[in-house]
Structures are given as C-alpha cells and as structure tokens.
Amino acid sequence: MQFDSFADFLNMGGYAFYVWLSFGVTFLAMGIIAIQSFSKHHDLLKQVVVEKERKARIKKARQQQQDNT
C-alpha cells in the first residue's frame, strides 16, 4: 500500500483508529511481558543466592558438628 503523504500514512486509509490501537495494545502487552520477565529473573537470582548461602551454612554446621565429635 502506497501513501501520498505522511498524513495519509497516519490515517491508514480511514482505519487509523483500529490500526494504531492494535499497535498500541500490542506494544503495551509486549512491554508488560518484558517487565514481568525481568522482574521474575531478578527474583530468581535472589532465590539462587539465598539457597547457595543456606547450603553453605548447612555444610559449615555439619563440618563443625563432625569436628566436635
């Protein structure tokens, strides 16, 4: 589809409301998904660090327990 001017492009042959609304909804949904993904990734990394620290504490406690016996 060719457009004679930028205004015709923005008008989208009379369907501008539907076209630009669909683009807006799509990009909004993609943005929300991206933000949620980054948030979940950050939370998962925190959980990994906590779990590693927990395992290190357990290992240290077991070693101390073995040394005491």
Side-chain angles (χ1 to χ4, degrees):
M1 185 175 218
Q2 287 183 335
F3 299 103
D4 293 330
S5 68
F6 187 68
D8 286 340
F9 170 73
L10 292 178
N11 191 28
M12 288 287 166
Y15 296 101
F17 176 75
Y18 304 107
V19 171
W20 296 118
L21 181 63
S22 66
F23 272 99
V25 168
T26 299
F27 286 119
L28 177 66
M30 289 173 59
I32 290 170
I33 290 169
I35 290 169
Q36 285 179 337
S37 295
F38 287 126
S39 176
K40 295 276 185 185
H41 179 72
H42 183 69
D43 293 343
L44 183 60
L45 288 177
K46 277 185 184 178
Q47 288 177 356
V48 167
V49 168
V50 168
E51 185 66 21
K52 277 181 96 174
E53 290 172 350
R54 181 183 155 277
K55 285 184 179 185
R57 284 193 313 268
I58 291 171
K59 185 177 179 180
K60 184 178 176 182
R62 284 184 180 162
Q63 267 187 340
Q64 286 177 351
Q65 193 176 32
Q66 286 177 354
D67 291 342
N68 290 339
T69 58

